[in-house]
Amino acid sequence: MHLAYPAVLAALLFCTGLYGVLARRNAILVLMSVELMLNAVNLNLVAFDVWLRDTLHAGQALTLFTIAIAAAEIGIGLAIVLMVYRNRATSDVDRLRDTAEPRPPLSSALRATDPDADAPGGPAGDADSGDPDPDDPGRAAGEKAEATA
């Protein structure tokens, strides 16, 4: 058996999977593309195992481990995709950026240099609305003392 045939087929499969990972926006199609890439690796492992006539069949053993890892990856990946789809009603990869943690509030050093920080309606909160500033513990303690008095 010539090694070129399975090697070229594996390269084509891997390139197709790589294109699918980079170009697709649907999370399920991205997972399918990752599986296609793993299958290309499995094909290479078995082809080189046969070509080298390995008595231990290490390529086939590694292929079994790769298949087991791929099955676990698909199980966990589909569970995450289904959870995101239930919460967001979309499986678009670009919209998953919304799941990032919110930025921390401005520190007091940055607030002192920001001229709009203490202005009504600025980032510190609207003074007319009565919303307490979460970064000002003195103000919150004073309002709590007024409420109990």
Side-chain angles (χ1 to χ4, degrees):
M1 175 175 99
H2 294 286
L3 184 62
Y5 298 129
V8 168
L9 179 62
L12 288 174
L13 285 174
F14 192 85
C15 290
T16 304
L18 185 65
Y19 173 75
V21 167
L22 296 177
R24 298 292 179 191
R25 299 293 174 229
N26 190 345
I28 294 175
L29 292 178
V30 170
L31 287 174
M32 288 175 61
S33 298
V34 169
E35 286 296 317
L36 196 61
M37 292 168 60
L38 287 173
N39 285 331
V41 170
N42 288 340
L43 181 61
N44 266 336
L45 284 172
V46 170
F48 276 97
D49 183 50
V50 170
W51 184 65
L52 293 173
R53 298 172 199 239
D54 186 16
T55 56
L56 296 176
H57 299 292
Q60 294 177 16
L62 285 175
T63 299
L64 289 175
F65 284 119
T66 307
I67 290 171
I69 290 171
E73 177 254 338
I74 276 296
I76 292 171
L78 281 177
I80 291 171
V81 167
L82 287 174
M83 183 190 66
V84 167
Y85 183 76
R86 285 182 186 167
N87 290 335
R88 306 274 177 176
T90 183
S91 62
D92 190 9
V93 176
D94 288 336
R95 294 190 183 200
L96 294 181
R97 294 182 198 153
D98 297 338
T99 61
E101 293 182 19
R103 291 188 225 168
L106 289 173
S107 67
S108 59
L110 291 175
R111 191 174 295 253
T113 60
D114 189 10
D116 294 330
D118 294 326
D126 191 6
D128 297 332
S129 68
D131 293 336
D133 185 9
D135 294 333
D136 189 7
R139 182 175 173 186
E143 287 178 1
K144 189 183 287 184
E146 288 176 11
T148 58

